[in-house]
Amino acid sequence: MNDATPIEPDVRELADIPAVEVISRAAVMLMSSAAEKLGLADPDPDTSPRRDLDEARRLITALAGLITASVEYLGPHAGPLRDGLQSLQRAFRESSAHPDEPGTGPGEKYTGPVY
């Protein structure tokens, strides 16, 4: 079968996507990137070549701000996103040679202390 018609990818107009979906996708992207920067995708995060705690701090703080500002719109997505954020905050604390004081870690000015 030799069809010269180009295949069109499934493309949605941004205006047609509900806000909760855009927010959720942005949160998942921030979570995934932060996990990579913490080295969590590798068998041994401590020796991960992708580990960059400074970058992870920025991503986790951005994620905390997004979730905190959007929580009233997230409905059933809020709980899992908050849980994911807290997991990243704990992983950051465990990864740090000199952990931040509770309440001063990444994103904690938005979420409160994470222990």
Side-chain angles (χ1 to χ4, degrees), residues 38-70:
L38 288 170
L40 299 178
D42 293 313
D44 183 5
D46 292 332
T47 61
S48 172
R50 291 182 281 271
R51 189 173 199 183
D52 185 334
L53 296 183
D54 188 47
E55 288 285 303
R57 176 184 295 279
R58 294 172 189 188
L59 292 161
I60 294 168
T61 300
L63 176 62
L66 175 64
I67 291 173
T68 302
S70 308

Side-chain angles (χ1 to χ4, degrees), residues 19-44:
V20 68
E21 188 174 337
V22 173
I23 295 165
S24 296
R25 284 184 183 199
V28 168
M29 182 177 286
L30 288 166
M31 272 186 196
S32 297
S33 183
E36 288 281 344
K37 298 295 185 180
L38 288 170
L40 299 178
D42 293 313
D44 183 5

Side-chain angles (χ1 to χ4, degrees), residues 74-95:
L74 294 173
H77 303 280
L81 290 172
R82 279 191 196 153
D83 292 345
L85 169 61
Q86 287 180 353
S87 293
L88 289 169
Q89 288 172 311
R90 283 189 201 96
F92 184 91
R93 176 161 281 127
E94 291 170 7
S95 297

Side-chain angles (χ1 to χ4, degrees), residues 2-13:
N2 189 2
D3 190 347
T5 306
I7 298 173
E8 293 290 323
D10 291 333
V11 177
R12 293 168 58 191
E13 293 293 325

